[in-house]
Amino acid sequence: MASAANSLRLCLRSCSQLPTMRAARPAILASSLCLRRALSTTPLRGAAAEETTFDEDEFLETKRYNNQGEVLADMLKREDLDDADRARVKDMLETWNKVPQDVRDQIDATTRQVRQSTAQIRYQVKPKKASFWNDDEKDTDMITDEVGEDDFEEDDILSIGHAKLEEHREAREYARIAVWEMPLLTKFARPFEPPTEAQPLRFRYTSYMGEFHPAERKVVVEFSPKDFPGLTEPQQLKLMKLAGPRYNPDKGLVKMSCERFEHQAQNKRYLGDLVQKMIATAQVSIPLGPCLCLDPTDMFEDVPLDTRHHKLTSKPRFPKEWRMSEERRAELESIRRTAFELDQKKQKSGRLVDGVKIIEKHLQNVPVMEDQPVMARRVGKQPARKR
């Protein structure tokens, strides 16, 4: 199916070119062909075929008309027209001759302007065979003046600019909340009260400022077995063994988390019930079946506390022996005092060596050679000379 651009090009060409050229084309092409040789397997070759190749665009360019009257007058000369078409062409020619000259000039100017504006789509550009994928050539079939809804007309910024403006609006919104709404929360502020012995559990939540996030449901609880006043030391040790890898021996805390439920309150309730079950297991027996239950006197004494899950990192500490004590400070003071008194005695007797004076005296005795330049001697390993 031909495109709109090719259809317009063919219509303009048929209206402004000689009508008889289409009929004359087969004869011209027939004259340019050469006969095939019988019983031959070689393809056609010859310079004569290339010289007589018919170029329709070049041939039609030489047959242009100045106005529509010349086109109609030339159509009357055709012999293949029937009587009805010839009568219709005569009527059109008479009507054209009655048109005033200024109207003719206006029609010719309009036709010339249309031809100039459609010059790019009337002539098809032949792609070069040497080009790769015809990248350097323009496809005239894709030329169109229609503007769609999604076309960019240089009247708006790009999507990157819109995203930047959206970030700016979000920052201004949070700044507005911090200035006007956050100060109103001061009336709900309460002084800090440290947890009491009746509150040994410490819960931690995660909030994303009102936005939905799958990690927001997670709740973490931390507690120390030593914070429960109702547990004895064997029961506390049993609770540590029940916690397993969730027990941190360095901090002495048990840390557990839950995110299996949709809301934070549900996860918190599950952790609270789990801690109660662990405490009950460390204190009393729990039935495991109709005839099987744990022995409340069994404190897991034969099971050692497994801490292999926790890697102990030993930090280097300053040795206690190297710390400054009063005895060491007094000893250093006595050594410094003895050395100072020895230097005073040597100075009085003239046996104290002053390095600064010795260097200055040596520099005064060194002669200065002003006429000859001083050559710096290269220090280091000298290269071996070639023999």
Side-chain angles (χ1 to χ4, degrees), residues 109-128:
T110 305
T111 305
R112 195 178 303 108
Q113 184 179 1
V114 171
R115 289 182 57 82
Q116 292 179 358
S117 61
T118 58
Q120 296 181 355
I121 60 177
R122 284 189 294 108
Y123 302 104
Q124 186 175 5
V125 180
K126 297 181 180 180
K128 298 180 181 179

Side-chain angles (χ1 to χ4, degrees), residues 177-298:
I177 292 174
V179 173
W180 298 103
E181 298 183 11
M182 287 296 181
L184 300 178
L185 300 178
T186 55
K187 58 183 179 181
F188 301 103
R190 293 182 299 178
F192 174 73
E193 297 179 359
T196 60
E197 296 182 356
Q199 300 172 350
L201 302 181
R202 291 183 289 274
F203 291 93
R204 190 188 69 189
Y205 311 94
T206 305
S207 177
Y208 290 89
M209 301 294 293
E211 297 182 2
F212 174 77
H213 197 276
E216 190 175 7
R217 67 181 69 175
K218 183 177 181 180
V219 180
V220 182
V221 62
E222 291 183 354
F223 63 90
S224 176
K226 299 180 181 180
D227 293 341
F228 296 102
L231 296 180
T232 60
E233 292 185 3
Q235 293 176 352
Q236 294 177 4
L237 183 60
K238 184 179 179 180
L239 182 59
M240 298 175 189
K241 295 176 182 179
L242 291 174
R246 298 170 182 82
Y247 175 69
N248 188 350
D250 285 346
K251 300 180 180 179
L253 297 176
V254 177
K255 181 178 179 181
M256 297 185 299
S257 63
C258 178
E259 53 181 342
R260 64 172 60 184
F261 301 104
E262 184 178 1
H263 301 285
Q264 289 182 351
Q266 296 174 333
N267 294 317
K268 181 180 179 181
R269 172 49 55 192
Y270 174 79
L271 290 175
D273 297 341
L274 184 60
V275 173
Q276 290 181 0
K277 290 180 182 180
M278 292 176 63
I279 295 174
T281 305
Q283 290 179 344
V284 297
S285 63
I286 297 178
L288 299 179
C291 301
L292 181 63
C293 63
L294 292 177
D295 186 6
T297 60
D298 187 8

Side-chain angles (χ1 to χ4, degrees), residues 137-201:
E137 305 297 335
K138 295 181 179 180
D139 189 3
T140 55
D141 295 345
M142 301 301 295
I143 298 178
T144 177
D145 295 335
E146 299 179 359
V147 180
E149 298 180 356
D150 298 337
D151 294 341
F152 185 67
E153 299 181 0
E154 302 294 341
D155 58 350
D156 195 3
I157 61 177
L158 299 178
S159 58
I160 301 177
H162 280 290
K164 201 67 178 178
L165 287 176
E166 188 64 27
E167 293 180 3
H168 186 66
R169 295 189 190 99
E170 186 177 0
R172 288 174 61 90
E173 181 181 359
Y174 283 115
R176 194 178 300 109
I177 292 174
V179 173
W180 298 103
E181 298 183 11
M182 287 296 181
L184 300 178
L185 300 178
T186 55
K187 58 183 179 181
F188 301 103
R190 293 182 299 178
F192 174 73
E193 297 179 359
T196 60
E197 296 182 356
Q199 300 172 350
L201 302 181

